Amino acid sequence: MGMTMAEKIIARAAGREAVRPGEFVWADVDTAMMDDLLGPRVVIADHIRRMGDRVWDREKVVIISDHYSPAATISQAEILQFTRNWAKEYGIGKYYEGLGPCHQVLAEKGFDIPGTLMVGTDSHTTTAGAFGCFGTGIGSTEMLGVLVSGQIWLRVPETMLFVWNGRLQPGVYAKDLVLRTIKEIGQAGATYKAMEFAGDAITALSVDERMTITNMAVEAGAKAGLIAPDEKVAAYLAAIGAPPGTPLLSDADAAYSERFTFDAAELVPQIALPHEVDKVVDVTAAAGEVIHQAYLGSCTNGRFADLAEAARVLKGRKVHPEVRLLVSAASRSIYHRAIREGIIETLSEAGAMVLAPSCGACLGLHSGILARGERAISSTNRNFVGRMGHKEAEIFLGSPASVAAAAIEGRVTDPRKFLVEG
Amino acid sequence: MNSIIKGKAHKYGDNINTDLINPPQYLEKSLEVLAQHAMEGVDEHFAAKVAPGDILVAGANFGPGSSRETAPIALKMAGVGAIVAKFFARIFYRNAINIGLPVLECAEADRIADGDALEVDLGTGTITNVTKGESYTAAPLSAPVMDILSAGGLIPFLEKKYGVDIDKKDLA
């Protein structure tokens, strides 16, 4: 019997011909990513000294300060300072700060390599699966083990296959597709498993759009979210001078624990209602819900096409007077391109506040925290109680176009009405 | 680590996520502060109620969301001796094991009520409900998990198994 791409990547990392779901293996890590929030400062710095004070391979370690940058408080500033100094002390040359959320920076810097195993101290490390890289989130103690040994124990996950046939309609996006998928299986539907996305609706998407899907695999509990790397991934990597890696694809006779089939053409914009990511409805069922803040950004939906689509909705229109629209590009390079192509100007003219590329508002650390009773629509990945500020605030999740449309009306609304060619 | 844990049950529902267990606004504070605010998103009085060794009992999918290990650390520092749930989110499960906080998957977690006196035998996976006079069986812990828990967490496990001077080759 064949293997899924998840099984092949783990087999390769474990130096094995084949692995089967349920097996425990020790695997060699190709890339270990730490952030400022849960990286060196938590457990790692205190204990690494006692464990030989060594890093197994400095070239394979990346540190990205994104959550607290730019700092809003002295303690945040001290965490950034600590992380920066730690990277220097331990000779980690691949330290990035101020460039944006780690998962986007990892992709742009060429760490999302097909066929490799990446672990990160952030749950959305699943994002790298858009490149056929097995990315998964781990805790700080686990990262300490990886830093000193280069290895991690993994239970080989079962793979669930999600086939999206057909084409998405105008005004419907990768975000809607992944929210609909999570609705189908629930927030724990893929716990301990890998999610693999396939079908012509997936192959039609750009790599950037695919990253939205794999980013949110963890919102269904998945260990990884994978998409078969194709010529678009190869072209992405070639354009940034990254190595092509070893694309590992699922065999035709691979065994999946479950298979789901969807028709992309039937999908309409989706909204996740407060306070669960799987509480997903068609946008029409959420229409009219009043919002006070609209957030466009994050490792989920802050890429160029996301900003451009929001700008298309907002061009020549104004943000509702009782709404704050906050925009944070997912990286400095996206920010630059959005400036060059007039996107930032369009958004700003409509009334948006443009923020630094950062994780800040997504989890209520800085740059756009919600007050008690406030309601937001956000292009991010979580709408949990207390996620973006006060625990009595409420968060709706949607696509960048849905965020922009709600910003105009001050209420959740179907974005497609603003996208009709006139 | 004690293989028998005795304590009072503190009962919560399904899908208790990491933002509820360990609200993000406290992440820049010390671990002691995080422990004072443990579970604040779902119960503001949690830290005050828990006596050392008490057992947190929940429904399905305990701990989804962030990779923040500070979530199980905050619970452990608040005094939680073990967590019993129908099942756990993946990263939380690993993190709890790695910091030496026992987590038991038990399909009958719903039978436990808030305040019940429990005895958890990690060796056998038997959960005795002293208040109700019942006992339940938790799913057996896998061998790597039991090895790490018996050592008291991943750090003591690695130190014990490989010594302080860890060589990558030894792990193969």
Side-chain angles (χ1 to χ4, degrees):
Chain A
M1 193 190 294
M3 289 193 287
T4 66
M5 55 189 295
E7 293 156 13
K8 286 187 181 181
I9 297 170
I10 292 176
R12 190 202 61 75
R16 297 265 299 271
E17 283 289 310
V19 294
R20 291 289 167 219
E23 274 188 77
F24 289 88
V25 298
W26 281 96
D28 288 332
V29 169
D30 295 293
T31 305
M33 190 282 297
M34 288 180 278
D35 63 342
D36 51 344
L37 184 74
L38 300 163
R41 77 177 184 107
V42 180
V43 177
I44 295 168
D46 284 346
H47 290 275
I48 197 163
R49 291 200 189 283
R50 288 197 296 120
M51 305 188 78
D53 212 6
R54 71 166 78 174
V55 175
W56 106 99
D57 188 342
R58 287 173 174 77
E59 289 305 304
K60 292 183 175 176
V61 178
V62 187
I63 302 179
I64 301 175
S65 288
D66 53 357
H67 285 68
Y68 289 131
S69 168
T73 64
I74 291 168
S75 50
Q76 292 183 6
E78 286 173 347
I79 289 165
L80 289 167
Q81 181 184 49
F82 180 86
T83 309
R84 206 180 291 133
N85 289 342
W86 194 91
K88 203 172 287 177
E89 184 185 344
Y90 282 82
I92 309 301
K94 291 164 179 168
Y95 175 78
Y96 307 106
E97 183 177 338
L99 297 190
C102 55
H103 308 298
Q104 180 60 26
V105 175
L106 284 168
E108 292 182 9
K109 296 288 181 188
F111 294 104
D112 294 5
I113 303 298
T116 63
L117 173 63
M118 173 191 286
V119 296
T121 54
D122 188 282
S123 59
H124 295 106
T125 306
T126 56
T127 311
F131 293 78
C133 165
F134 192 104
T136 195
I138 63 172
S140 307
T141 297
E142 191 106 66
M143 179 58 79
L144 172 65
V146 171
L147 289 178
V148 297
S149 73
Q151 295 198 317
I152 187 168
W153 67 268
L154 295 174
R155 178 187 169 280
V156 180
E158 292 82 10
T159 301
M160 301 168 79
L161 181 65
F162 300 86
V163 180
W164 279 86
N165 296 312
R167 288 292 176 98
L168 292 171
Q169 297 293 308
V172 186
Y173 306 91
K175 181 60 157 291
D176 302 303
L177 186 157
V178 71
L179 286 176
R180 178 66 187 82
T181 306
I182 294 167
K183 177 186 186 179
E184 187 69 24
I185 62 170
Q187 62 176 289
T191 301
Y192 308 137
K193 295 179 181 163
M195 297 172 82
E196 182 176 328
F197 297 87
D200 43 351
I202 303 293
T203 51
L205 296 173
S206 67
V207 177
D208 281 359
E209 292 170 308
R210 295 174 193 176
M211 289 169 77
T212 299
I213 296 171
T214 54
N215 175 275
M216 290 194 69
V218 71
E219 305 312 327
K223 184 173 198 157
L226 294 162
I227 295 173
D230 60 3
E231 70 285 353
K232 288 181 183 174
V233 169
Y236 186 115
L237 296 169
I240 59 171
T246 309
L248 296 172
L249 310 181
S250 294
D251 293 321
D253 61 345
Y256 294 96
S257 64
E258 283 178 271
R259 291 169 190 257
F260 297 83
T261 306
F262 301 88
D263 183 355
E266 288 180 4
L267 188 66
V268 300
Q270 303 288 297
I271 298 288
L273 305 175
H275 298 280
E276 310 288 345
V277 182
D278 60 359
K279 210 169 155 190
V280 174
V281 297
D282 291 352
V283 68
T284 44
E289 296 283 0
V290 172
I291 56 107
H292 310 100
Q293 181 163 299
Y295 181 63
L296 171 62
S298 82
C299 56
T300 312
N301 269 131
R303 281 172 276 278
F304 180 79
D306 299 323
L307 305 189
E309 208 60 17
R312 207 152 74 85
V313 170
L314 283 157
K315 192 165 181 66
R317 299 188 173 95
K318 290 290 179 197
V319 171
H320 190 279
E322 290 173 23
V323 172
R324 295 100 58 186
L325 171 61
L326 311 180
V327 177
S328 168
S331 74
R332 182 182 290 171
S333 72
I334 292 167
Y335 183 54
H336 287 170
R337 184 177 170 197
I339 289 172
R340 284 198 306 274
E341 301 196 19
I343 302 299
I344 295 294
E345 188 174 5
T346 300
L347 295 170
S348 183
E349 275 181 355
M353 284 182 263
V354 181
L355 309 171
S358 171
C359 305
C362 173
L363 67 162
L365 300 179
H366 57 82
S367 308
I369 297 170
L370 299 173
R372 181 198 297 262
E374 286 194 321
R375 307 174 100 206
I377 185 166
S378 178
S379 72
T380 54
N381 45 43
R382 287 193 183 129
N383 57 351
F384 298 160
V385 168
R387 177 71 181 179
M388 298 180 87
H390 199 280
K391 69 177 188 177
E392 288 170 39
E394 293 184 308
I395 306 160
F396 297 82
L397 302 178
S399 72
S402 291
V403 168
I408 294 167
E409 294 202 349
R411 294 165 190 275
V412 176
T413 190
D414 192 331
R416 291 174 295 182
K417 65 180 155 194
F418 295 112
L419 292 164
V420 177
E421 301 299 331
Chain B
M1 187 178 59
N2 277 337
S3 67
I4 309 264
I5 294 160
K6 297 179 184 181
K8 199 168 83 169
H10 298 273
K11 180 76 182 286
Y12 298 92
D14 296 341
N15 303 317
I16 304 298
N17 64 57
T18 50
D19 285 347
L20 297 171
I21 300 166
N22 189 200
Q25 69 263 36
Y26 301 117
L27 292 174
E28 64 192 81
K29 310 291 188 196
S30 67
L31 295 176
E32 289 73 20
V33 174
L34 297 191
Q36 286 160 18
H37 295 279
M39 297 289 281
E40 189 176 276
V42 64
D43 181 355
E44 285 183 4
H45 308 294
F46 181 81
K49 288 197 300 204
V50 174
D54 277 0
I55 294 157
L56 198 165
V57 181
N61 195 35
F62 188 84
S66 168
S67 63
R68 69 187 70 138
E69 189 171 290
T70 46
I73 290 174
L75 293 175
K76 190 180 180 188
M77 287 181 65
V80 172
I83 309 176
V84 175
K86 286 187 185 169
F87 66 93
F88 294 83
R90 189 191 72 84
I91 308 176
F92 183 93
Y93 184 84
R94 288 185 75 112
N95 283 346
I97 299 294
N98 286 337
I99 65 152
L101 175 60
V103 280
L104 293 104
E105 294 190 325
C106 176
E108 297 167 289
D110 278 349
R111 297 191 59 83
I112 301 167
D114 194 59
D116 283 356
L118 302 179
E119 291 184 13
V120 175
D121 185 332
L122 296 177
T124 62
T126 303
I127 300 164
T128 305
N129 188 330
V130 179
T131 304
K132 288 205 169 79
E134 298 176 342
S135 72
Y136 325 110
T137 306
L141 297 168
S142 62
V145 164
M146 201 61 215
D147 290 347
I148 293 169
L149 264 187
S150 314
L154 186 65
I155 293 170
F157 169 81
L158 291 172
E159 286 179 343
K160 188 172 145 197
K161 192 163 183 185
Y162 306 110
V164 291
D165 191 20
I166 290 177
D167 189 300
K168 183 184 170 190
K169 289 188 291 295
D170 294 341
L171 286 170

